Amino acid sequence: MTAPMVVAQGVTKRFGSVEVLKGIDLTVARGEVCCLLGPSGSGKSTFLRCVNHLERVDGGSITVDGERIGYRRRGDLLHELAEREIAVQRRDIGMVFQRFNLFPHMTALENVTEAPVRVRRLSRAAAREQAHALLDRVGLGDRAGHYPAQLSGGQQQRVAIARALAMEPKLMLFDEPTSALDPELVGEVLDVMRGLAADGMTMIVVTHEVGFAREVADTAVFMDGGVVVEAGAPRDVLDRPGQDRTRSFLAKVL
Amino acid sequence: MSLVPSVSGTPAAMPTAPDVPHEQLRTVPMRHRGRWAAAAVALVAGGGTLWSLAKNPNLDWPTVGAYLFHETVFSGLVTTLWLTAAAMAIGLAGGTVVAVLRLSANPVLSTLAGLFVWFFRSTPILVQIIFWGFLGALYPNLMLGIPFTDITFYSASTSAVITPTVAALLALGLNEVAYAAEIIRGGIQSIDPGQAEAAHSLGMKPGLTLRRVVLPQAMRVIVPPMGNETVTMLKTTALVSVIAGHDLMSNIQDVYAQNYKVIPLLVVAALWYLLLVSLLSVPQGWLERRYGRGSASAAGPSALRRLLTVRAARPGGPRTHTRIRKGNKA
């Protein structure tokens, strides 16, 4: 058995006096698609942002591919890493945001080539070639020269996925990737994510799309109040939930 | 017959010829008679002022002509130009540093940057210029060393180092640092934090994120007020005449102190400042287009354009053009 891609142990996080994560334990295997579901304020987005240290965890640990994220252990203490060391760790972890966060002053192509050229030191020609291939893969080969403002929300989100893939990550994090989209544009983004999952990408997806979770996820995790309420195969968690909280949440969203 | 009495909707109230179909009715745009009257009054007043100037012998156009391209004026012009450029360069570079310090998580650096801005914005530029000009009265000697020790690397008399030109440059440059810092800080803070998060999640380090993602977007907010600052700076250089800065205004003053032709020489100065400021709008427009890439701009036509197209534009009313700005690269 190969080592898991993500291991979270006892992760806690507080904003001021509010404890938003109260000890999260989660393991994601290589090639696994893990969907985090739960009501807003349950801490699922915060947990996702801890995985690439956009939020610092206050206790516990997260490792990605065996490497501890954001901290170095010396004895019993975890020392936070410098920004540039964290930047190196983040190269291998792609992230897709609810609000896309494309760079508006760059074309779709430039959005996708920026990090490979500046961070991975890829040649401009190689980066462009790779970017064209990635834009083709998300179905936007003919939109390379468009600025984000000229693209629909669904197209922007697909460019954002291509931008993250350009760093050739081992792990992809999706933070409610379809929540800011008009209903008729959700499908095109989910299709791209389905394709990624089929290609064996390890993915953690915070989503409200129960249908997507049931169809694509290997593991569904239901969170509420900063804890994991239940986790397991989607057909168990989503169709035969063992906990009342899960049942009442699913009754509301379905 | 209707039970509700109609005031305007009855056929009797509509003086429409019954044989004209509705789709052939023409509309007549509102006649803005007040606008024409106001324009006529303004033209008469403006024309009268210009006429009184043109026929005023005290303006002495021959003297204006004689000095417009005079050697003294030109050398002052060169000083004014490089002083403006150098002070703005100091302001932009220093302002970026102070703005970043101001936004830094380090409370000491952030407070010091805030104090710097507070001090230089809260004292008149004229006071600062004279202060730097008379720095020798405060520190007769300047030395470079380690504070609170006797270690000195370099020492010189203040008057030898701080010439009037250096004093002018220091005063204008440091003052501009303070104003530029606030403009740049505002520009940086106007950018959605999600932009920096997206850059960080791609493995971009803080410096690279600032340079490639945040600042290029902030420039759209920064360029217009910085253009304003450059115009102000060009004219503010005239104040260094109080410490004999040899700029355009200093030299003009030198000339009229000798020949007493104050008004014609001030006209010479005004003409040059007018020309230089007008030329500055060219690079500003270029920069605004350069950093406006990818943004939808709702810019209406200029006042001059509206004046020239007053007839053509009338039926549709004011039009706004919304389009995406594209860069030069295809």
Side-chain angles (χ1 to χ4, degrees), chain A residues 98-195:
Chain A
Q98 181 178 356
R99 303 282 330 165
F100 328 136
N101 296 354
L102 286 182
F103 305 135
H105 58 303
M106 299 181 189
T107 63
L109 189 78
E110 289 165 345
N111 264 281
V112 182
T113 56
E114 178 67 16
V117 170
R118 304 273 162 185
V119 179
R120 274 174 56 207
R121 300 279 166 203
L122 213 59
S123 79
R124 205 164 283 276
R128 289 174 71 91
E129 195 180 326
Q130 180 206 31
H132 278 296
L134 283 168
L135 287 173
D136 278 338
R137 182 169 166 191
V138 299
L140 292 171
D142 56 339
R143 295 286 191 275
H146 285 56
Y147 285 93
Q150 296 169 302
L151 300 172
S152 73
Q155 290 171 334
Q156 289 188 55
Q157 193 61 298
R158 287 186 281 156
V159 173
I161 294 173
R163 176 177 71 175
L165 291 177
M167 290 300 284
E168 298 179 352
K170 314 181 225 187
L171 167 70
M172 284 284 283
L173 308 175
F174 292 86
D175 188 5
E176 303 198 25
T178 59
S179 296
L181 295 176
D182 290 339
E184 78 270 23
L185 303 177
V186 169
E188 63 191 60
V189 172
L190 292 183
D191 282 344
V192 169
M193 292 167 62
R194 242 176 236 120

Side-chain angles (χ1 to χ4, degrees), chain A residues 49 52 83-84 87 90-91 93 95 97 101-106 110 114-115 118-119 147 149-150 163 167, chain B residues 192 194-195 197-206 208 212-213 216-217 293-294 324-327 329:
Chain A
R49 291 162 58 82
N52 67 353
E83 272 295 330
R84 61 196 152 71
R90 286 184 183 133
R91 287 179 194 181
I93 306 172
M95 183 151 191
F97 298 86
N101 296 354
L102 286 182
F103 305 135
H105 58 303
M106 299 181 189
E110 289 165 345
E114 178 67 16
R118 304 273 162 185
V119 179
Y147 285 93
Q150 296 169 302
R163 176 177 71 175
M167 290 300 284
Chain B
D192 174 12
Q195 289 291 311
E197 285 186 353
H200 289 153
S201 76
L202 290 164
M204 293 170 76
K205 291 168 189 169
L208 188 63
R212 293 288 305 172
V213 175
Q217 295 182 58
R293 281 190 307 168
I324 296 291
R325 284 179 171 171
K326 282 200 164 188
K329 291 182 275 184

Side-chain angles (χ1 to χ4, degrees), chain B residues 101-102 104 106-117:
Chain B
L101 291 180
R102 192 86 209 271
S104 124
N106 185 329
V108 175
L109 294 183
S110 167
T111 306
L112 286 179
L115 283 174
F116 178 93
V117 170

Side-chain angles (χ1 to χ4, degrees), chain A residues 67 72 80-90, chain B residues 205:
Chain A
E67 189 175 355
R72 181 181 292 119
E80 190 172 14
L81 297 175
E83 272 295 330
R84 61 196 152 71
E85 295 172 293
I86 295 166
V88 173
Q89 294 187 329
R90 286 184 183 133
Chain B
K205 291 168 189 169

Side-chain angles (χ1 to χ4, degrees), chain B residues 87 90-95 98 116-117 172-182:
Chain B
I90 293 173
L92 207 55
V98 173
F116 178 93
V117 170
L172 296 174
L174 289 176
N175 191 257
E176 189 53 39
V177 166
Y179 282 94
E182 287 297 277

